[in-house]
Amino acid sequence: MNSKIFTLLFAAILITSVAHAKIFRVGYTVLYNTSPLTGVDFANMVDANNAASPGDTIQVYGSVSGGNMTKRLVIIGFGYNLDVHPGLQANANNVDAPSYINALFFGPGCDGSVIKGISTTVSGNSGLQVGDYYNTGTPISNITFERCYGNILLFNTGGALSNVRIINCVCTSIIMYNGDNGIPVNNLQVYNCILDYITLYNSATTASVINCVSAPNTYGHINLNTAQVLLKNSVIYPVSSSNTIYQNNFIYGSAYTLPVGSSNNHWDVGFDDIFNELGVPSSYNSGSPGYTEFNENWYILKAGSPAINAGTNADNSITDCGIFGGEPANSYRIGAIPSIPSIYQVTAPGSEASSNPYKITISVRSNN
């Protein structure tokens, strides 16, 4: 069997296996000023959720209205900060937040949902929210936020909340609501994120915060309290927590006593000793979410940085500390374009083309 035939057969198998899944669009007709395609285009997230079946995909175009999601869905946007990185993605709303939802709630029925490339509010009590907001006592698990920007809120007031993954995100807030009075969150995973603010509660809460960085204007808004946390390979302001194990971290402050089991931490190392720091010495704005100058390249490790090769992965292999190190699959991606292929260039003959048919070249970026 030649490779071309094999490729076609493999594609047919894939199409057959996912033929039941559908793709819906929210905001497309407004953004591109077109007529809606019946059964595909919707004006808001709730209508798209109601039309979808578990496993379907919703694509978000521009700024759209959110609401309560009730099914296992894949929700995909264009990434964020694309005005700073204009060569990564093209769409008619190529601005700071090309796929924006003010408030989106993931409650009972949403187990297994994946949210990628979405921006949301950066202040107040709104944002990307997961938990039993109706207090039905229904457990919720396996929600993944990947390459998102803004507030991520954990409602631990109703059913058990577990296996929430926050990867490659700019987190202006990760907050557990109801504090110690709520149900613990089990196995929260925060990997390769820029953290402006994070607050965890409850001594039975378990979490991993790995290869993350504190935004430079936050001055210590990382509150782990009594939660059981593995804090590893990160560059942070001081964190006080009685149940946190610290490994391979660079801490912006004077040394203090860490819990038993902590190892290989570094103290009194300034951000200017570690990071590329675009915009320095004028300000820290280039490294801080919410500022027009914000640019994730601020966090590239500078030549000679002590954070180079200062961390370890799960298999004990050597890695960098900070958002660009860690497990290869979790390494931070500039612009936060979801990890699906995208067409970024089409080359075709002009009016002088003489052959029929003629050749068109389509260039695809993997975004992995």
Side-chain angles (χ1 to χ4, degrees):
M1 179 183 295
N2 66 49
S3 60
K4 184 176 294 185
I5 295 174
F6 176 79
T7 300
L8 290 173
L9 287 176
F10 184 65
I13 292 171
L14 287 178
I15 291 170
T16 301
S17 65
V18 300
H20 64 282
K22 296 181 180 179
I23 297 176
F24 302 93
R25 303 183 300 200
V26 175
Y28 182 89
T29 57
V30 173
L31 187 63
Y32 293 103
N33 193 27
T34 62
S35 299
L37 185 62
T38 301
V40 173
D41 289 311
F42 295 88
N44 59 70
M45 294 297 296
V46 171
D47 287 347
N49 170 84
N50 293 341
S53 298
D56 285 346
T57 295
I58 298 175
Q59 297 175 341
V60 179
Y61 295 80
S63 181
V64 305
S65 298
N68 296 343
M69 303 293 99
T70 61
K71 299 167 184 174
R72 174 175 57 86
L73 298 170
V74 177
I75 298 174
I76 296 180
F78 283 96
Y80 53 77
N81 223 18
L82 297 184
D83 54 342
V84 178
H85 311 294
L88 294 179
Q89 181 75 281
N91 70 81
N93 195 31
N94 195 13
V95 294
D96 186 46
S99 300
Y100 178 86
I101 308 172
N102 182 56
L104 200 60
F105 304 85
F106 297 89
C110 291
D111 296 50
S113 290
V114 178
I115 302 90
K116 299 184 177 186
I118 297 295
S119 295
T120 186
T121 185
V122 299
S123 61
N125 297 330
S126 192
L128 301 174
Q129 307 182 26
V130 55
D132 182 12
Y133 38 74
Y134 291 129
N135 267 334
T136 65
T138 305
I140 301 169
S141 65
N142 296 309
I143 308 293
T144 299
F145 300 99
E146 182 179 319
R147 306 185 190 183
C148 294
Y149 181 106
N151 291 346
I152 298 177
L153 311 180
L154 311 174
F155 284 84
N156 59 319
T157 57
L161 185 58
S162 62
N163 301 319
V164 177
R165 306 177 77 236
I166 304 173
I167 304 172
N168 268 209
C169 294
V170 176
C171 302
T172 51
S173 288
I174 301 177
I175 299 178
M176 283 177 63
Y177 271 86
N178 207 36
D180 281 328
N181 297 320
I183 297 171
V185 174
N186 181 52
N187 193 29
L188 170 66
Q189 302 168 41
V190 184
Y191 299 153
N192 298 76
C193 291
I194 299 171
L195 302 176
D196 205 18
Y197 197 108
I198 176 171
T199 300
L200 304 182
Y201 294 100
N202 203 304
S203 59
T205 289
T206 58
S208 300
V209 179
I210 299 177
N211 279 96
C212 292
V213 297
S214 289
N217 283 334
T218 59
Y219 304 112
H221 294 159
I222 298 181
N223 307 306
L224 304 180
N225 298 300
T226 59
Q228 301 177 53
V229 182
L230 171 62
L231 179 61
K232 182 178 178 181
N233 299 349
S234 296
V235 183
I236 56 171
Y237 282 104
V239 178
S240 178
S241 173
S242 58
N243 291 332
T244 292
I245 301 300
Y246 301 69
Q247 296 180 354
N248 314 326
N249 300 295
F250 288 82
I251 303 173
Y252 193 82
S254 300
Y256 51 88
T257 302
L258 298 178
V260 174
S262 301
S263 62
N264 197 36
N265 296 284
H266 310 268
W267 305 89
D268 287 323
V269 182
F271 287 168
D272 55 342
D273 296 320
I274 296 176
F275 297 126
N276 183 34
E277 284 198 349
L278 299 174
V280 170
S282 60
S283 73
Y284 277 159
N285 291 359
S286 295
S288 299
Y291 288 85
T292 56
E293 304 98 319
F294 176 61
N295 187 333
E296 309 99 290
N297 282 322
W298 195 91
Y299 295 98
I300 293 174
L301 301 184
K302 67 190 299 183
S305 171
I308 295 173
N309 293 331
T312 55
N313 281 333
D315 62 358
N316 288 322
S317 58
I318 299 300
T319 188
D320 293 341
C321 293
I323 58 174
F324 296 103
E327 307 297 334
N330 296 334
S331 181
Y332 190 89
R333 300 299 193 270
I334 294 295
I337 298 172
S339 53
I340 55 175
S342 60
I343 296 173
Y344 71 95
Q345 179 176 300
V346 176
T347 303
S351 57
E352 70 280 2
S354 57
S355 61
N356 187 14
Y358 54 82
K359 183 178 180 180
I360 295 176
T361 301
I362 298 176
S363 300
V364 179
R365 180 185 287 114
S366 71
N367 297 316
N368 289 326

